[in-house]
Amino acid sequence: MKKFLYWLLAIVITLALCIYQRMTGPTYPKQVAVELNGEIFKVKLPRSGVRHDEAVKLKAVPQETKAQLHYRCYPTSDEYTTTDFSMNEGELQAALPVQPVGGKLQYYITVGGKDYLANEPVVIRFRNDVPAGILIPHILLMFAAMLFAVYTLMLAVTNKRYSKWLKITVATLFVGGFIFGPLVQHAAFGPWWTGFPFGTDLTDNKTLLSFLVFAVALATLKWKYNKWVTCLAVLFMIAIFSIPHSAYGSEYDYNTNQLSTEK
């Protein structure tokens, strides 16, 4: 019964961490409330695009509404290009032109004559499509590593045998982060690794740091204070994985026309 409760609590904590990381990350759609004639319409603006023109949709906004999309390359001081929203598939849409891999656009919208996010434009980054056969195992393994880590923590703090699950956590983190992680990075942007020492990608760097801390816990497994080292490793993992996903990653430099892995 205790193990069931441990697993249940571990699942709840892991899901909460994953949802928090996803919703605070730079690829999660930006939500803005558009007001028209006293009525509020919720609009989601994309912040991640695959290698094709990305449609910005004003769902539920009345069809007769006049709206414009303003965009420019990021980070540049170019003048904004403006395009009108038009009806497409039963809703108002305007397209952001596809950019090179890692290329970014910043944009804002005008709806009913009122600007939205003009002072804090949305930034969207373009990437290649990642095959499901690579992306799904990566996500599942990273999710599993967090789940096993939290379960290991519960066993450790309640003085249960945890060494087996510590080893499983380290193995899962290694396969998910250092085998499938580079495969996803390569498929999406080209480089295999954009963390230390080659770049500033927070996703790669926090995976590396977390693995190193767990490696210390594994290496000191027979030490009498290993329980506390393991607990610190899990807490460090939880803290570092709370950092928004995909921040400071690969970015196309419009001055050099090359992909950069450093912020």
Side-chain angles (χ1 to χ4, degrees), residues 162 219-227 229:
Y162 61 87
T220 59
L221 192 57
K222 294 183 179 181
W223 189 34
K224 63 178 180 178
Y225 297 116
N226 177 260
K227 179 178 81 169
V229 178

Side-chain angles (χ1 to χ4, degrees), residues 33-225:
V34 173
E35 183 178 359
L36 288 169
N37 300 320
E39 189 173 357
I40 301 296
F41 299 91
K42 297 288 183 66
V43 175
K44 289 186 177 181
L45 304 176
R47 295 200 288 176
S48 179
V50 187
R51 293 277 286 127
H52 55 71
D53 291 354
E54 186 69 23
V56 178
K57 303 177 182 179
L58 302 182
K59 293 184 178 181
V61 174
Q63 299 181 3
E64 67 276 9
T65 303
K66 292 184 180 297
Q68 293 81 38
L69 174 68
H70 316 274
Y71 63 86
R72 67 182 178 186
C73 294
Y74 177 87
T76 70
S77 56
D78 296 347
E79 294 293 325
Y80 279 98
T81 297
T82 299
T83 184
D84 292 328
F85 280 85
S86 60
M87 290 301 301
N88 187 11
E89 299 178 350
E91 58 190 8
L92 289 170
Q93 295 187 18
L96 292 167
V98 64
Q99 299 298 298
V101 172
K104 295 180 179 180
L105 295 175
Q106 64 176 174
Y107 68 96
Y108 67 96
I109 59 176
T110 301
V111 183
K114 182 179 179 180
D115 292 338
Y116 292 89
L117 302 175
N119 294 327
E120 297 181 13
V122 179
V123 175
I124 180 173
R125 181 174 66 163
F126 287 80
R127 59 172 175 81
N128 289 320
D129 192 18
V130 180
I134 297 174
L135 184 60
I136 292 176
H138 169 65
I139 294 174
L140 291 178
L141 285 165
M142 296 306 291
F143 175 88
M146 177 64 74
L147 176 64
F148 296 151
V150 175
Y151 183 68
T152 301
L153 174 65
M154 293 181 184
L155 293 176
V157 297
T158 54
N159 295 317
K160 301 292 192 302
R161 297 185 64 178
Y162 61 87
S163 59
K164 169 187 171 182
W165 290 102
L166 174 60
K167 294 173 184 177
I168 292 174
T169 298
V170 174
T172 306
L173 181 60
F174 178 80
V175 176
F178 295 98
I179 295 180
F180 281 96
L183 288 173
V184 170
Q185 180 71 244
H186 177 67
F189 299 106
W192 293 92
W193 181 263
T194 55
F196 179 83
F198 302 113
T200 57
D201 190 318
L202 285 186
T203 301
D204 286 350
N205 282 329
K206 68 186 184 182
T207 301
L208 175 60
L209 288 173
S210 185
F211 180 80
L212 290 176
V213 174
F214 268 104
V216 171
L218 190 60
T220 59
L221 192 57
K222 294 183 179 181
W223 189 34
K224 63 178 180 178
Y225 297 116

